Amino acid sequence: MSKFDEKVELYKKFMDNKSISVNSDLLNAVTKGLGPSIYKKDAETVSGSDKKELETVKKNFLIKKLGLSDGPQLDEAIAEVIEKIGKSERNKYRAVVYYMLAEKFDKQSIYGF
């Protein structure tokens, strides 16, 4: 199993443990879209309490990648995803957060789904 496949399996298992339904192909595509950042401990996760980090998720993913318009709904969606994963959960994997946000805004088509 490649390092990439190991990461995808880790994220799947994480989502299963949190009772978050997962489309394996979409998770695979989202993870691939993150490139080498998934292999860097700090870049692999999202800090749910760091305002700067959450702003980066909003600007770089929701607005640039998904093409959404800025507004309070984006902050609310990020907060909702963080809440669903669990605020106290240390490993809020970026691939999982992005996956959940893409689904929330029905933007799976960005990844070919």
Side-chain angles (χ1 to χ4, degrees):
M1 186 181 283
S2 71
K3 280 191 177 293
F4 177 81
D5 291 335
E6 287 174 13
K7 287 292 185 181
V8 173
E9 280 305 310
L10 170 73
Y11 304 149
K12 273 190 218 165
K13 198 172 290 179
F14 176 83
M15 293 173 79
D16 285 343
N17 290 342
K18 299 284 181 187
S19 300
I20 300 168
S21 63
V22 60
N23 172 327
S24 297
D25 293 332
L26 179 59
L27 179 61
N28 203 34
V30 170
T31 305
K32 191 169 283 184
L34 290 169
S37 69
I38 63 170
Y39 305 110
K40 298 180 181 117
K41 193 73 183 144
D42 190 46
E44 180 185 31
T45 57
V46 172
S47 170
S49 59
D50 183 347
K51 297 276 186 244
K52 190 174 169 213
E53 171 90 28
L54 299 176
E55 193 63 27
T56 299
V57 169
K58 181 166 85 169
K59 283 196 169 96
N60 291 349
F61 184 68
L62 294 177
I63 296 172
K64 285 183 185 173
K65 177 79 175 176
L66 300 186
L68 299 170
S69 300
D70 197 358
Q73 75 280 8
L74 300 186
D75 295 313
E76 290 164 12
I78 293 169
E80 186 180 308
V81 164
I82 297 295
E83 187 72 39
K84 189 165 186 179
I85 291 173
K87 286 186 178 186
S88 61
E89 174 61 58
R90 287 188 49 78
N91 294 320
K92 293 177 194 72
Y93 294 110
R94 189 171 303 276
V96 175
V97 171
Y98 285 14
Y99 171 94
M100 292 173 70
L101 287 167
E103 279 210 323
K104 172 145 185 67
F105 288 105
D106 202 23
K107 290 290 191 173
Q108 301 93 323
S109 61
I110 298 288
Y111 295 99
F113 293 91

